[in-house]
Amino acid sequence: MAADTADPHPPRISLITVCWNAERTIADTLRSIDAQSWRNFEHIVIDGGSSDSTLEIIASAPAQNRRVFSGRDGGIYEAMNKGISLASGDIIGFLNADDTFESSDALETVAAALEDEAYDGCYGDLIYVSNQNTDRKVRYWKSCAFEPGSFGRGWCPPHPTFYVRRRIYDRFGTFDLRYRLAADVELMMRFLEVARIRTIYIPRVLVRMRLGGATNKNVQNISHQNKEVLRALADHGFRVWTPVFWASKLANRLGQFLTRNR
């Protein structure tokens, strides 16, 4: 008789939400989290010392699996690192205060993908929506399976859909605070391009993100982030032809807008 190889302990997810003065959007984020069909997860909220009603809104939506920490910090990536240090789950992911899950089975989909211990992480697709009307799709960020060299061509997974096992952070480190706008891209580059962790691509939308975040709120920030990505590639020893990087990046971005109604 074949041995039963099923894991008797389904993966526990640590979901981290970083927020600061997010009274306009945090309630939507909490509702989408609390509606998840997968219940084996903890929700860690790292608040940067909000001065608006963010904390009151969070307090009005209590959940047994939610822990809230509030205090001043050095920015979003320092707050994310704090969340990682507090996480107790097998798998770590992020859903920030201007994001929502696309459906109630998003975490269930992640857990199913990572039931197979052969994979260290997973990621899926993301939809950018209007800041004023979250039903209006603006960009469709369709990803794909990772191939070596992809980051040098301007590719990266949507970070809000990126889930990895906690042991990967323990082994390869957390967000590098030297990167002010591209620490998430550098981290995924370090994991995929440098460490070559084993990931699985989930070909479906997992997250909706409002336009207007720190990186994409203006052209200057977008430019600065991509310059940081090029610096990260150089720091990790990758030789990149800059015109190819920018051309690939622009072509990919144009494709996201053209497929926004999918």
Side-chain angles (χ1 to χ4, degrees):
M1 180 181 294
D4 184 1
T5 58
D7 185 354
H9 304 292
R12 178 168 171 79
I13 298 173
S14 291
L15 181 66
I16 300 166
T17 295
V18 169
C19 60
W20 180 70
N21 286 350
E23 63 181 5
R24 194 174 65 83
T25 60
I26 189 67
D28 289 344
T29 302
L30 297 178
R31 275 193 293 269
S32 79
I33 291 170
D34 293 342
Q36 290 301 297
S37 57
W38 183 261
R39 302 312 303 166
N40 191 22
F41 76 98
E42 65 174 350
H43 183 213
I44 300 170
V45 179
I46 307 294
D47 175 76
S50 292
S51 58
D52 64 1
S53 62
T54 297
L55 290 170
E56 288 84 352
I57 293 170
I58 296 170
S60 70
Q64 288 186 336
N65 63 342
R66 181 172 294 133
R67 293 186 285 155
V68 182
F69 302 87
S70 183
R72 297 192 65 177
D73 54 50
I76 185 170
Y77 297 120
E78 184 177 301
M80 287 178 169
N81 283 344
K82 181 179 180 181
I84 293 169
S85 71
L86 294 165
S88 64
D90 312 296
I91 298 162
I92 296 176
F94 295 86
L95 191 76
N96 293 325
D98 50 0
D99 304 343
T100 59
F101 285 119
E102 173 68 1
S103 60
S104 61
D105 65 346
L107 285 184
E108 187 173 348
T109 301
V110 168
L114 294 183
E115 278 184 357
D116 187 342
E117 287 288 332
Y119 296 109
D120 301 308
C122 68
Y123 56 88
D125 298 341
L126 178 146
I127 290 178
Y128 281 98
V129 295
S130 165
N131 221 326
Q132 289 74 35
N133 178 11
T134 57
D135 289 329
R136 187 168 74 85
K137 301 174 184 177
V138 180
R139 286 167 52 191
Y140 184 100
W141 188 343
K142 183 169 181 59
S143 196
C144 61
F146 168 72
E147 295 180 358
S150 293
F151 280 81
R153 296 188 293 273
W155 177 93
C156 73
H159 183 253
T161 75
F162 188 69
Y163 288 76
V164 294
R165 300 189 192 278
R166 186 169 52 149
R167 65 176 183 244
I168 298 299
Y169 285 103
D170 293 340
R171 183 174 179 186
F172 300 113
T174 57
F175 294 94
D176 187 335
L177 302 184
R178 293 175 299 173
Y179 299 93
R180 189 174 65 87
L181 290 173
D184 53 347
V185 180
E186 187 279 330
L187 178 134
M188 292 186 290
M189 180 193 303
R190 191 184 339 134
F191 288 179
L192 274 69
E193 290 279 18
V194 180
R196 295 290 170 87
I197 70 168
R198 296 156 298 177
T199 55
I200 182 170
Y201 164 56
I202 301 169
R204 56 168 286 190
V205 175
L206 297 178
V207 172
R208 286 191 174 217
M209 173 186 277
R210 287 177 172 85
L211 283 173
T215 300
N216 59 38
K217 68 180 179 181
N218 57 50
V219 173
Q220 284 183 329
N221 276 20
I222 293 171
S223 175
H224 185 69
Q225 187 215 32
N226 283 296
K227 288 177 181 177
E228 284 193 355
V229 173
L230 286 167
R231 176 161 63 90
L233 285 160
D235 288 346
H236 287 298
F238 295 109
R239 298 183 65 182
V240 176
W241 193 30
T242 304
V244 169
F245 175 87
W246 284 108
S248 299
K249 192 83 174 182
L250 290 171
N252 182 267
R253 181 67 57 88
L254 177 61
Q256 291 178 18
F257 281 101
L258 292 176
T259 57
R260 65 184 182 272
N261 291 320
R262 285 191 59 174

